[in-house]
Amino acid sequence: MTEELIKAALAKQADRAPHSGPILHALTGERRSSRRTLVVSLVAALVAVLALGATSLLAPSPPPAPVAGFAQRELPGLPMRYDVGWLPDGYVETSRSYAYDYIQIRTWASGESRISLFVQATPGPDGLPVWTDDITGAPEPQRTSVHGRPGAFEATDDPERASLAWLPAPKVRLSLQFHEVAEPRVIAPRIAESVHESADVLTPQFDLGLPPERVEVSVEGSSPSTAVTKASDWNTSGSWKEFDAAVAPVPADLPGGYEVLVRGVRGKFVPFQPKTGAALSVPLGDGRWLVLRTPPAEYGVRGPGWESALVEVAEKIVLNSATDLSWVGTR
């Protein structure tokens, strides 16, 4: 409204102003003083400025140029809920994942050895119940307890593989998984006794804008500079993946493809192939890439497998302006 009033006022002033031509013509027949010449010049200049200003304001303004790059805001951390208080020497945390709003996994590694803590917690009264039958119905030799709560070892013939699960609270199930760890059943009770509630979080590098019960988010790496954030859309049934999205140090490794624009940024789209799926790679700067991929046909892909769908998903992604990856590669 204010801009329209300014335009109308300038246009009105320009219409009322005398034309500069008659003024100059009337004064050409007599000798003018330098002061009179200055006045006439100022009047003519004023008339021209008023007319030019009214014309420029009345003309339609060009549309603003679109902002190139992805939207950013500070995203909330995803709660990990539990942590371990003791581990053998040499282990550092290499991954965290948060899935379907009720599963969290943390993994610590030392060389090829892996120790993972799985957390299943029912969110609210209508959430999925945790699995307890393998603990409450375990054979006597497999049964144990953690802080007086029921627990059980998983039966296995592999001396380097073991699993210890227990029920620390109603609607909560914890389990420790050991991979290529020497004498896992010897150290498992000590680690389990050290597990405690935690305020640690996983801060995702981006948000897909999907309901949390459909999404699995993970961060994995040996250091903050090598960490890769992935997010998968598992649809509402959780029985197949619609697509994977990642912020990674390299683009998709699929050959071929052609250039597409995503929020004004030049990326590359590789069309869907039965054995490889489709892929979209967009540079984010600082050596990072946004990579979207669909599964190959053998996994029954039912989600977006074409350019327009993946570009539409990418357009809606919001980057985290406050990602904390300082935990990657540390105890």
Side-chain angles (χ1 to χ4, degrees), residues 78 80 94-99 105 202-206 215-221 227-232 244-247 325 327:
L78 305 173
M80 290 289 98
T94 56
S95 72
R96 293 179 181 179
S97 66
Y98 185 95
I105 306 173
L202 182 162
T203 54
Q205 294 192 64
F206 60 91
V215 181
E216 177 184 5
V217 181
S218 66
V219 175
E220 183 173 1
V228 175
T229 296
K230 292 183 178 180
S232 299
D244 287 324
V247 171
L325 300 176
W327 58 268

Coordinates of all heavy atoms in Angstrom, one line a residue, residues 78 80 94-99 105 202-206 215-221 227-232 244-247 325 327:
L78 N 18.6 -36.4 18.1 CA 17.8 -37.6 18.4 C 18.3 -38.4 19.6 O 19.5 -38.7 19.6 CB 17.8 -38.5 17.1 CG 17.4 -37.9 15.8 CD1 17.6 -38.8 14.6 CD2 15.9 -37.5 15.9
M80 N 19.8 -40.8 22.3 CA 20.3 -42.2 22.3 C 19.9 -43.0 23.5 O 20.0 -44.2 23.6 CB 21.9 -42.1 22.2 CG 22.4 -41.7 20.9 SD 22.2 -43.0 19.6 CE 20.7 -42.4 18.8
T94 N 32.0 -45.5 16.8 CA 32.0 -45.3 15.3 C 30.7 -45.1 14.6 O 30.6 -44.7 13.5 CB 32.7 -46.4 14.7 OG1 32.1 -47.7 15.0 CG2 34.2 -46.5 15.1
S95 N 29.6 -45.4 15.3 CA 28.3 -45.1 14.7 C 27.2 -45.0 15.7 O 27.3 -45.6 16.8 CB 28.0 -46.3 13.7 OG 27.6 -47.5 14.4
R96 N 26.2 -44.2 15.3 CA 24.9 -44.1 16.1 C 23.8 -44.2 15.0 O 23.9 -43.6 14.0 CB 24.9 -42.8 16.8 CG 25.9 -42.7 18.0 CD 25.7 -41.3 18.7 NE 26.7 -41.2 19.7 CZ 26.9 -40.1 20.5 NH1 26.1 -39.0 20.3 NH2 27.8 -40.1 21.5
S97 N 22.7 -44.8 15.4 CA 21.5 -44.8 14.5 C 20.3 -44.7 15.4 O 20.2 -45.1 16.5 CB 21.5 -46.1 13.7 OG 21.3 -47.2 14.5
Y98 N 19.2 -44.1 14.7 CA 17.9 -43.9 15.4 C 16.9 -44.3 14.3 O 16.9 -43.8 13.2 CB 17.8 -42.4 15.7 CG 16.6 -42.1 16.5 CD1 16.6 -42.0 17.9 CD2 15.4 -41.8 15.9 CE1 15.5 -41.7 18.6 CE2 14.2 -41.4 16.6 CZ 14.3 -41.4 18.0 OH 13.2 -41.0 18.7
A99 N 16.0 -45.3 14.7 CA 15.1 -45.8 13.7 C 13.7 -45.9 14.2 O 13.5 -46.3 15.4 CB 15.6 -47.2 13.3
I105 N 20.8 -47.5 18.2 CA 22.0 -48.4 18.2 C 23.3 -47.6 18.3 O 23.4 -46.6 17.6 CB 22.0 -49.3 17.0 CG1 20.7 -50.1 16.8 CG2 23.2 -50.3 17.0 CD1 20.6 -50.8 15.5
L202 N 22.1 -38.0 18.7 CA 22.6 -38.1 17.3 C 22.1 -36.8 16.6 O 20.8 -36.6 16.6 CB 22.1 -39.3 16.6 CG 22.5 -39.6 15.2 CD1 22.3 -41.1 14.9 CD2 21.8 -38.8 14.2
T203 N 22.9 -36.0 16.2 CA 22.5 -34.8 15.4 C 22.6 -35.0 13.9 O 23.7 -35.1 13.4 CB 23.3 -33.5 15.8 OG1 24.7 -33.8 15.6 CG2 23.1 -33.2 17.3
P204 N 21.5 -35.2 13.3 CA 21.5 -35.5 11.8 C 22.0 -34.3 11.0 O 21.8 -33.1 11.4 CB 20.1 -35.8 11.5 CG 19.3 -35.1 12.5 CD 20.1 -35.1 13.8
Q205 N 22.7 -34.6 9.9 CA 23.1 -33.5 9.1 C 22.0 -32.9 8.2 O 22.2 -31.9 7.6 CB 24.3 -34.0 8.2 CG 25.6 -34.3 9.0 CD 26.8 -34.5 8.1 OE1 27.2 -33.6 7.4 NE2 27.3 -35.7 8.1
F206 N 20.9 -33.6 8.1 CA 19.8 -33.1 7.3 C 18.5 -33.7 7.7 O 18.5 -34.7 8.5 CB 20.0 -33.4 5.8 CG 20.2 -34.8 5.5 CD1 19.0 -35.6 5.1 CD2 21.4 -35.5 5.5 CE1 19.2 -36.9 4.8 CE2 21.5 -36.8 5.2 CZ 20.4 -37.6 4.9
V215 N 11.4 -43.3 9.3 CA 12.8 -42.9 8.9 C 13.8 -43.6 9.8 O 13.6 -43.7 11.0 CB 13.0 -41.4 9.0 CG1 14.5 -41.0 8.6 CG2 12.1 -40.7 8.1
E216 N 14.9 -44.1 9.2 CA 16.1 -44.6 10.0 C 17.2 -43.6 9.7 O 17.6 -43.4 8.5 CB 16.5 -46.0 9.6 CG 17.7 -46.5 10.3 CD 18.1 -47.9 9.8 OE1 17.5 -48.4 8.8 OE2 19.1 -48.4 10.3
V217 N 17.8 -43.0 10.7 CA 18.9 -42.1 10.5 C 20.2 -42.7 11.2 O 20.1 -43.3 12.3 CB 18.6 -40.8 11.2 CG1 19.8 -39.8 11.0 CG2 17.3 -40.2 10.6
S218 N 21.3 -42.6 10.5 CA 22.6 -43.2 11.1 C 23.7 -42.2 10.7 O 23.7 -41.6 9.7 CB 22.8 -44.6 10.5 OG 23.1 -44.6 9.1
V219 N 24.7 -42.2 11.6 CA 26.0 -41.5 11.3 C 27.1 -42.5 11.6 O 27.1 -43.2 12.7 CB 26.1 -40.3 12.3 CG1 27.5 -39.7 12.1 CG2 25.1 -39.3 12.0
E220 N 28.0 -42.7 10.7 CA 29.1 -43.7 10.8 C 30.4 -43.1 10.2 O 30.4 -42.5 9.2 CB 28.7 -45.0 10.1 CG 29.7 -46.1 10.3 CD 29.2 -47.4 9.7 OE1 28.1 -47.4 9.1 OE2 30.0 -48.4 9.8
G221 N 31.5 -43.4 10.9 CA 32.8 -43.0 10.5 C 33.8 -43.2 11.5 O 33.5 -43.6 12.6
A227 N 32.8 -38.9 8.7 CA 31.5 -39.4 9.0 C 30.5 -39.2 7.9 O 30.5 -38.1 7.3 CB 31.0 -38.7 10.3
V228 N 29.7 -40.2 7.7 CA 28.6 -40.1 6.7 C 27.3 -40.2 7.4 O 27.0 -41.2 8.2 CB 28.8 -41.3 5.7 CG1 27.6 -41.3 4.7 CG2 30.1 -41.1 4.9
T229 N 26.4 -39.3 7.1 CA 25.0 -39.4 7.6 C 24.1 -40.0 6.5 O 24.1 -39.5 5.4 CB 24.5 -38.0 8.0 OG1 25.3 -37.5 9.1 CG2 23.0 -38.0 8.4
K230 N 23.3 -41.0 6.9 CA 22.4 -41.6 6.0 C 21.0 -41.6 6.6 O 20.8 -41.6 7.8 CB 22.7 -43.1 5.7 CG 24.0 -43.2 4.9 CD 24.3 -44.7 4.6 CE 25.5 -44.9 3.8 NZ 25.8 -46.3 3.5
A231 N 20.0 -41.5 5.8 CA 18.6 -41.5 6.2 C 17.8 -42.4 5.2 O 18.0 -42.1 4.0 CB 18.0 -40.1 6.3
S232 N 17.0 -43.3 5.6 CA 16.3 -44.2 4.8 C 14.8 -44.0 5.0 O 14.4 -44.0 6.2 CB 16.7 -45.6 4.9 OG 18.0 -45.8 4.6
D244 N 17.3 -44.1 -0.1 CA 18.4 -43.7 0.8 C 18.8 -42.3 0.5 O 18.9 -41.9 -0.7 CB 19.6 -44.6 0.8 CG 19.3 -46.0 1.4 OD1 18.6 -46.0 2.4 OD2 19.9 -47.0 0.8
A245 N 19.1 -41.5 1.5 CA 19.7 -40.2 1.3 C 20.9 -40.1 2.2 O 20.9 -40.6 3.3 CB 18.7 -39.1 1.7
A246 N 21.9 -39.4 1.7 CA 23.2 -39.3 2.5 C 23.9 -38.0 2.3 O 23.8 -37.4 1.2 CB 24.1 -40.5 2.2
V247 N 24.6 -37.5 3.3 CA 25.5 -36.5 3.1 C 26.9 -37.1 3.2 O 27.2 -37.7 4.3 CB 25.4 -35.4 4.1 CG1 26.5 -34.4 4.1 CG2 24.1 -34.6 3.9
L325 N 29.5 -33.7 15.4 CA 30.0 -35.0 15.1 C 31.3 -35.2 15.9 O 32.1 -36.1 15.6 CB 30.4 -35.1 13.6 CG 29.2 -34.9 12.6 CD1 29.7 -35.0 11.2 CD2 28.1 -36.0 12.9
W327 N 31.8 -36.7 18.6 CA 31.8 -38.0 19.3 C 32.4 -39.1 18.4 O 32.9 -40.2 18.9 CB 30.4 -38.5 19.7 CG 29.4 -38.5 18.6 CD1 28.6 -37.5 18.2 CD2 29.2 -39.6 17.7 NE1 27.8 -37.9 17.1 CE2 28.2 -39.2 16.8 CE3 29.7 -40.9 17.6 CZ2 27.7 -40.1 15.8 CZ3 29.2 -41.8 16.6 CH2 28.2 -41.3 15.7

